[in-house]
């Protein structure tokens, strides 16, 4: 008995840093979840199904804007941080920061114009302005915050990560209360609150990150070479995360689209748990890859998926009650969508975790080929599912898309290891 206690104490001491970091990474999730539990009923009371439809539709294209605006240079920094000599890390950070500042702005303007003409050409029934601008402009400023938070994770500064994340979330909620609940600006107010918060936190993070004006073209060249397959692959994930709403908008049922968007939002709240868990262990995934430790990789991924599954399963069981409370009873009918989309959160954690391994091993171009195949496959799948099962077909299509994505990534790793890294599974 004493031996068991000593062993448990040893394990607790050994993994103490992970428990502490995990608690700090999870703290913003817990706080923001509590805040949203309190405020969401009042938000739902002041947002119509049409407001939710507008926010849901335009947010479906966010993944495209994110990938083009930052071009995976932040992922490059994350994946290569431990390989960069310590004396060069600030130079690399400043170079990436300047690239995000200049290139990101130009890309935002061009992409906004392209999307405007696309909306006119496809005859989207929802108003383009100001919703598109308020949805996509925050992405530019959030890039600086994302880079800052990545640096906090890499340097194990979980306290700074937690404080900034909590501040950004609380400030955005306070603005939303002011603009949506008090001044009744609807979707415009909800989106504007996110933009204002992103401008302030983005400016702060830029100031904290910036050392001096130093720009190394070799860093950008390496980042471009590393990132273009990932960015293109990220854009292709639109076909699993956003194409459903583009197709659903053509059904001309804005009312049901609003309920579907509420289901997405409610299910999305529980993705916060995955984000906190992944942010805790993602650096360890890259470290295990650098050490070529497959056994450790498998344990980390299994842990991430298991921990993420627990809150989502609880939500699926109690979804009608939870959504009834969170939406003032107005959107309880969205619970059936939310239950399906919460199940998607589990398949997402599997697909994303395996995807990080693919990126960490540098199989970017192979992943891109598979991504192109997935985009075509998902387009056909969603078209079939929506035409036959409507909004429920779209929800189940999201679940299945990540199951397929995970399966294809596993096949890719299997053949890469078997034919190019003989004996790697024997470790």
């Amino acid at each position: 008995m004493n031996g068991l206690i000593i062993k448990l104490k040893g394990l607790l001491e050994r993994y103490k840093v992970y428990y502490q970091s995990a608690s700090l990474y999870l703290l913003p999730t817990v706080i923001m979840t509590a805040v949203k539990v309190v405020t969401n009923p009042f938000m739902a009371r002041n947002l119509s199904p049409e407001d939710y439809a507008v926010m849901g539709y335009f947010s479906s294209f966010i993944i495209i804007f994110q990938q083009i605006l930052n071009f995976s240079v932040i992922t490059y920094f994350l994946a290569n941080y431990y390989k960069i000599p310590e004396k060069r890390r600030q130079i690399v950070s400043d170079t990436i920061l300047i690239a995000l500042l200049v290139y990101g702005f130009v890309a935002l303007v061009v992409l906004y114009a392209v999307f405007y003409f696309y909306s006119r050409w496809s005859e989207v029934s929802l108003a383009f302005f100001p919703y598109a601008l308020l949805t996509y402009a925050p992405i530019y400023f959030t890039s600086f915050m994302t880079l800052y938070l990545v640096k906090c994770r890499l340097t194990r500064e979980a306290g700074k990560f937690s404080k900034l994340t909590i501040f950004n979330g609380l400030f955005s909620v306070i603005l939303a209360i002011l603009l949506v609940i008090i001044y009744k600006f609807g979707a415009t107010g909800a989106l504007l609150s996110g933009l204002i918060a992103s401008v302030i936190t983005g400016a702060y993070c830029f100031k904290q990150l910036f050392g001096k004006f130093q720009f190394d073209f070799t860093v950008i060249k390496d980042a471009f070479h590393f990132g273009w397959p990932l960015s293109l692959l990220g854009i292709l994930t639109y076909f699993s995360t956003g194409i459903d709403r583009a197709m659903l908008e053509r059904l001309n049922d804005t009312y049901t689209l609003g309920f579907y968007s509420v289901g997405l939002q409610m299910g999305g709240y529980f993705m916060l748990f995955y984000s906190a868990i992944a942010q805790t262990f993602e650096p360890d995934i890259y470290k295990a890859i650098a050490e070529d430790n497959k056994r450790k990789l498998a344990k980390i991924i299994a842990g991430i998926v298991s921990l993420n599954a627990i809150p989502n399963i609880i939500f699926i069981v109690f979804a009608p009650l939870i959504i009834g409370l969170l939406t003032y009873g107005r959107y309880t009918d969205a619970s059936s969508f939310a239950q399906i989309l919460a199940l998607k959160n589990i398949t997402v954690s599997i697909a994303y975790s395996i995807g990080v391994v693919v990126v960490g091993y540098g199989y970017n171009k192979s992943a891109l080929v598979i991504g192109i195949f997935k985009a075509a496959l998902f387009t056909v799948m969603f078209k079939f599912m929506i035409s036959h099962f409507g909004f429920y077909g779209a929800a189940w299509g999201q679940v299945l898309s990540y199951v397929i994505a995970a399966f294809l990534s596993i096949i890719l790793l299997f053949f890469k290891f078997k034919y190019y890294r003989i004996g790697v599974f024997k470790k």
Side-chain angles (χ1 to χ4, degrees):
M1 187 67 178
N2 290 333
L4 179 61
I5 294 174
I6 293 172
K7 186 176 181 180
L8 287 174
K9 286 183 178 180
L11 287 172
L12 288 172
E13 187 64 30
R14 180 180 178 184
Y15 294 104
K16 182 179 179 180
V17 65
Y18 292 102
Y19 303 143
Q20 292 175 337
S21 296
S23 63
L24 288 171
Y25 288 128
L26 191 59
L27 182 61
T29 301
V30 173
I31 291 176
M32 292 315 303
T33 299
V35 169
K36 287 176 181 178
V37 166
V38 175
T39 61
N40 204 88
F42 303 100
M43 294 290 290
R45 195 177 185 183
N46 290 275
L47 291 171
S48 67
E50 290 72 21
D51 287 327
Y52 280 112
V54 165
M55 293 188 291
Y57 174 77
F58 285 102
S59 67
S60 69
F61 295 95
I62 282 179
I63 186 66
I64 297 176
F65 279 77
Q66 284 176 332
Q67 296 301 320
I68 294 179
L69 262 60
N70 67 56
F71 217 75
S72 295
V73 294
I74 298 175
T75 305
Y76 166 83
F77 184 73
L78 172 62
N80 291 277
Y81 182 82
Y82 293 112
K83 303 174 186 176
I84 300 171
E86 189 171 349
K87 63 182 180 180
R88 276 188 53 80
R89 287 175 182 171
Q90 186 60 50
I91 297 174
V92 174
S93 176
D94 288 336
T95 299
I96 290 174
L97 199 59
I98 294 169
L100 289 172
L101 180 68
V102 178
Y103 163 78
F105 179 77
V106 175
L108 175 63
V109 173
V110 173
L111 197 55
Y112 182 82
V114 170
F115 188 56
Y116 169 76
F117 287 112
Y118 161 78
S119 297
R120 294 290 298 272
W121 171 76
S122 59
E123 299 180 345
V124 175
S125 59
L126 304 172
F128 184 81
F129 185 84
Y131 303 120
L133 179 63
L134 295 176
T135 301
Y136 306 131
I139 299 171
Y140 172 70
F141 299 98
T142 303
S143 295
F144 307 125
M145 177 178 171
T146 302
L147 181 60
Y148 178 80
L149 294 179
V150 163
K151 195 167 185 179
C152 288
R153 287 157 52 197
L154 289 167
T155 55
R156 301 293 184 184
E157 295 179 289
K160 291 183 178 180
F161 178 100
S162 183
K163 290 177 183 177
L164 181 65
T165 307
I166 292 171
F167 169 79
N168 182 68
L170 288 178
F171 187 51
S172 179
V173 169
I174 291 170
L175 290 173
I177 292 172
L178 178 66
L179 297 174
V180 177
I181 298 175
I182 297 178
Y183 287 103
K184 314 292 184 184
F185 288 158
T188 301
L191 295 171
L192 182 59
S193 64
L195 174 58
I196 295 172
S198 69
V199 171
I200 292 175
T201 54
Y204 169 80
C205 291
F206 185 94
K207 183 178 179 181
Q208 293 298 310
L209 287 167
F210 190 67
K212 61 181 180 180
F213 189 86
Q214 48 186 345
F215 192 85
D216 189 338
F217 281 99
T218 60
V219 171
I220 293 302
K221 182 180 177 181
D222 289 342
F224 176 82
H225 180 74
F226 173 90
W228 76 262
L230 292 180
S231 292
L232 186 51
L233 186 61
I235 292 170
L236 292 173
T237 61
Y238 164 77
F239 294 93
S240 61
T241 61
I243 197 173
D244 58 329
R245 275 153 285 173
M247 291 184 177
L248 290 172
E249 187 273 334
R250 294 181 178 276
L251 298 179
N252 294 316
D253 187 355
T254 305
Y255 183 81
T256 307
L257 180 58
F259 278 82
Y260 181 83
S261 298
V262 171
L264 272 172
Q265 182 188 76
M266 294 299 161
Y269 287 161
F270 286 81
M271 273 298 290
L272 294 173
F273 288 97
Y274 167 72
S275 298
I277 296 165
Q279 286 161 356
T280 301
F281 293 104
E282 195 173 69
D284 296 286
I285 291 179
Y286 283 111
K287 189 174 182 180
I289 290 171
E291 297 169 351
D292 205 15
N293 191 332
K294 302 303 170 298
R295 189 181 297 275
K296 185 178 180 180
L297 273 175
K299 289 181 178 179
I300 293 171
I301 293 174
I304 290 173
V305 174
S306 299
L307 290 172
N308 179 61
I310 294 170
N312 282 285
I313 292 172
I314 294 173
F315 172 72
I316 290 170
V317 174
F318 298 103
L321 174 62
I322 294 172
I323 293 179
L325 292 172
L326 292 182
T327 63
Y328 221 87
R330 291 189 67 191
Y331 295 97
T332 306
D333 289 344
S335 60
S336 55
F337 294 128
Q339 287 170 315
I340 300 170
L341 294 164
L343 183 60
K344 180 204 75 171
N345 292 342
I346 300 174
T347 61
V348 163
S349 67
I350 299 170
Y352 280 10
S353 297
I354 298 172
V356 171
V357 176
V358 172
V359 172
Y361 273 106
Y363 301 140
N364 300 348
K365 293 181 181 179
S366 297
L368 177 58
V369 173
I370 291 180
I372 295 171
F373 172 74
K374 287 191 298 186
L377 178 62
F378 293 161
T379 301
V380 174
M381 181 188 71
F382 273 111
K383 188 173 183 179
F384 173 83
M385 297 285 283
I386 290 172
S387 63
H388 286 77
F389 308 106
F391 287 87
Y392 287 100
W396 279 110
Q398 288 214 23
V399 177
L400 292 174
S401 66
Y402 287 102
V403 173
I404 295 170
F407 180 70
L408 292 175
S409 293
I410 290 172
I411 292 175
L412 170 63
L413 288 173
F414 175 78
F415 281 100
K416 285 290 186 180
F417 290 154
K418 182 176 181 180
Y419 293 107
Y420 296 103
R421 301 176 68 87
I422 301 299
V424 76
F425 282 127
K426 296 180 181 180
K427 290 191 174 184

